[in-house]
Amino acid sequence: MINASLLNDIFTAAAPMPGVDPLGYGIPPLLFQLLSYLTFSMHITAMNFTVGGAILFLWLHLRRNDATLPIRRYLGGGLPLGMSYVVTLGIPPLLFVQVLYGQQFYSSSILIGSFWILIIPLLITAYGLFYLHKLTRDSRRSGHGAIIFIGLVAMLLIGFFYVNNITLSMTPEKWLDMYAAKPDGLSLNLSEPTLFPRFLLFITPAIAVSGLGIILAGSFLSRWGREAEASLFRSFGVRAVPVGFVLQAVCALWIIAVLPENISAFVFAGNSATVLLVAGIILAALAAILALIAAGSKRVLPALLSLIMAFAAIFCHAALRDMVRLQYLAPVFDLSQVPVKTQWGMFGIFVATLLLGLALLIVLMLRVFPGMASAARK
Ligand code: HEM
């Protein structure tokens, strides 16, 4: 074991934080931040749809009610697709977090390295199991609860390792002691008081988001005149939505209670962070109200609007989360330390590619989503 005080003596004499990248940012950091909020929100929405889909699938599976089979088929069939979106939409924020907070993110990734590297086999396991379920559900009747359960646990572990990494990247004062105690990367940030409420703050809305996905599927079924299935979907989906949002509200109160005093004072100081907090709550409430309207309507629009409101609420959460991160890091780092050497041409190419990619994504979703709802009764 390495002597902790010796390491501290060596490192505190030097900079407490690896130096900033001398190449600097290619665009003003605010643009990077906005792009990271947008792509991170898409990642979290896809993650919520998939994790929530697996949770609701298991809930219905355990209740063994044949009447809910179409919903189970819809949810189970959507898991591999949802997973592909989680991974694809996780890449852009991964690039942005490395550009904006590279010194912190790399350091914390190394400290939890042995767990961090497990993300890859866990991802393959979850993805493989979700496909196994989809491809064998007609030929093999048993074992699907266990398959989805293990896939869900693998996903939750990945999320948990992410929360460990991000919270550790925000608290550099812990790094030296942690490295000295376990230089083999076998550390987790378990002493962090916000760890579990933060994890649950991201996971609990999954039940609401997948509930919204079920209502949306119900509205497509109505459109095709399959009213019996449509009302089954809508009545189940609308019950899931408040469960998810209420659980998230409980986690929000929990995290507020354990945030360091200076951070909670910052969040409630009547600044842009407070505006984001209030806007997020209002948007989530609007999403829930629209979900109620959608449950009693045969039209697609209310369900779609409800999902858009939920996405906007997630966006506010993403932006607030970043402000809180900057507040944690304020004593040792701020984005203005990094030189800006603009490369607008490169940025233009990036934005054009992003818009093209998003357009393709929307077209694909509009084609695939109704198909998923339609395949539910087979
Ligand atoms: C498959 C299951 C996954 C789950 C359940 C999950 C969940 C989460 C959660 C809860 C966070 C927030 C962490 C925090 O702020 O404390 C997060 C952040 C993040 N996730 Fe995922 N994730 C998954 C997979 C992935 C994958 C495969 C990628 C990359 C390809 C990815 C990229 C990211 C990035 C980059 C962040 C942090 C962004 C930032 O700090 O700006 N995630 N994820």
Side-chain angles (χ1 to χ4, degrees):
M1 184 162 308
I2 297 175
N3 182 314
S5 70
L6 176 68
L7 261 181
N8 263 314
D9 288 348
I10 295 168
F11 284 106
T12 44
M17 175 80 60
V20 299
D21 185 349
L23 289 177
Y25 297 142
I27 49 171
L30 182 64
L31 284 177
F32 274 132
Q33 285 173 283
L34 290 175
L35 285 168
S36 85
Y37 304 160
L38 177 71
T39 54
F40 178 66
S41 307
M42 295 197 289
H43 167 63
I44 291 296
T45 306
M47 180 277 277
N48 277 177
F49 179 78
T50 316
V51 167
I55 294 173
L56 293 180
F57 176 96
L58 286 170
W59 168 259
L60 292 174
H61 180 83
L62 289 175
R63 293 169 71 93
R64 301 202 180 281
N65 178 355
D66 281 350
T68 62
L69 198 63
I71 306 181
R72 271 184 275 160
R73 288 194 67 88
Y74 164 69
L75 291 173
L79 292 176
L81 183 75
M83 195 67 183
S84 70
Y85 278 108
V86 175
V87 179
T88 314
L89 295 171
I91 304 289
L94 190 57
L95 303 180
F96 293 123
V97 75
Q98 289 171 80
V99 171
L100 287 167
Y101 306 106
Q103 311 95 291
Q104 296 85 20
F105 186 69
Y106 290 136
S107 307
S108 53
S109 301
I110 291 166
L111 286 167
I112 66 158
S114 299
F115 294 101
W116 190 236
I117 200 75
L118 283 180
I119 284 183
I120 295 166
L122 285 169
L123 200 63
I124 295 169
T125 305
Y127 216 160
L129 287 173
F130 291 157
Y131 261 113
L132 181 69
H133 162 70
K134 188 174 177 181
L135 297 176
T136 63
R137 62 185 174 180
D138 293 324
S139 56
R140 192 160 49 87
R141 291 271 161 211
S142 62
H144 291 282
I147 290 174
I148 301 293
F149 178 73
I150 299 170
L152 173 65
V153 171
M155 279 196 88
L156 292 177
L157 279 173
I158 295 174
F160 185 62
F161 295 153
Y162 259 99
V163 178
N164 272 273
N165 197 349
I166 299 292
T167 50
L168 190 56
S169 75
M170 290 158 38
T171 45
E173 66 279 4
K174 294 182 186 170
W175 295 351
L176 287 177
D177 285 344
M178 207 176 241
Y179 183 68
K182 286 185 182 172
D184 47 14
L186 277 170
S187 299
L188 281 174
N189 198 18
L190 298 178
S191 64
E192 170 59 47
T194 63
L195 186 77
F196 288 100
R198 184 173 172 127
F199 171 67
L200 291 173
L201 195 66
F202 281 105
I203 298 299
T204 46
I207 297 171
V209 171
S210 58
L212 291 177
I214 295 171
I215 298 176
L216 185 65
S219 59
F220 275 107
L221 290 166
S222 274
R223 213 183 209 191
W224 302 323
R226 287 158 59 179
E227 206 39 58
E229 283 164 89
S231 65
L232 174 76
F233 272 61
R234 285 199 300 259
S235 66
F236 180 72
V238 78
R239 276 180 285 153
V241 173
V243 174
F245 284 142
V246 168
L247 287 175
Q248 190 188 22
V250 173
C251 297
L253 293 176
W254 182 7
I255 201 165
I256 287 167
V258 294
L259 274 177
E261 228 166 82
N262 64 323
I263 305 288
S264 54
F266 165 74
V267 172
F268 292 105
N271 51 22
S272 44
T274 321
V275 172
L276 284 168
L277 178 70
V278 174
I281 295 170
I282 293 174
L283 287 163
L286 276 177
I289 293 169
L290 280 161
L292 269 179
I293 296 172
S297 159
K298 293 181 181 175
R299 290 183 312 139
V300 173
L301 189 67
L304 211 55
L305 282 177
S306 175
L307 262 173
I308 291 171
M309 292 300 151
F311 179 78
I314 293 173
F315 186 93
C316 291
H317 183 190
L320 176 60
R321 162 184 177 275
D322 190 47
M323 285 188 173
V324 166
R325 162 163 45 197
L326 282 166
Q327 200 58 29
Y328 266 91
L329 290 174
V332 283
F333 174 78
D334 80 82
L335 294 170
S336 65
Q337 288 171 359
V338 186
V340 178
K341 297 173 185 166
T342 48
Q343 300 178 32
W344 292 113
M346 293 299 280
F347 180 61
I349 296 173
F350 174 81
V351 171
T353 324
L354 180 73
L355 291 178
L356 213 70
L358 285 179
L360 194 69
L361 207 75
I362 291 168
V363 171
L364 276 176
M365 268 169 39
L366 289 177
R367 281 177 176 265
V368 169
F369 189 78
M372 268 166 62
S374 166
R377 73 167 157 188
K378 281 182 197 148

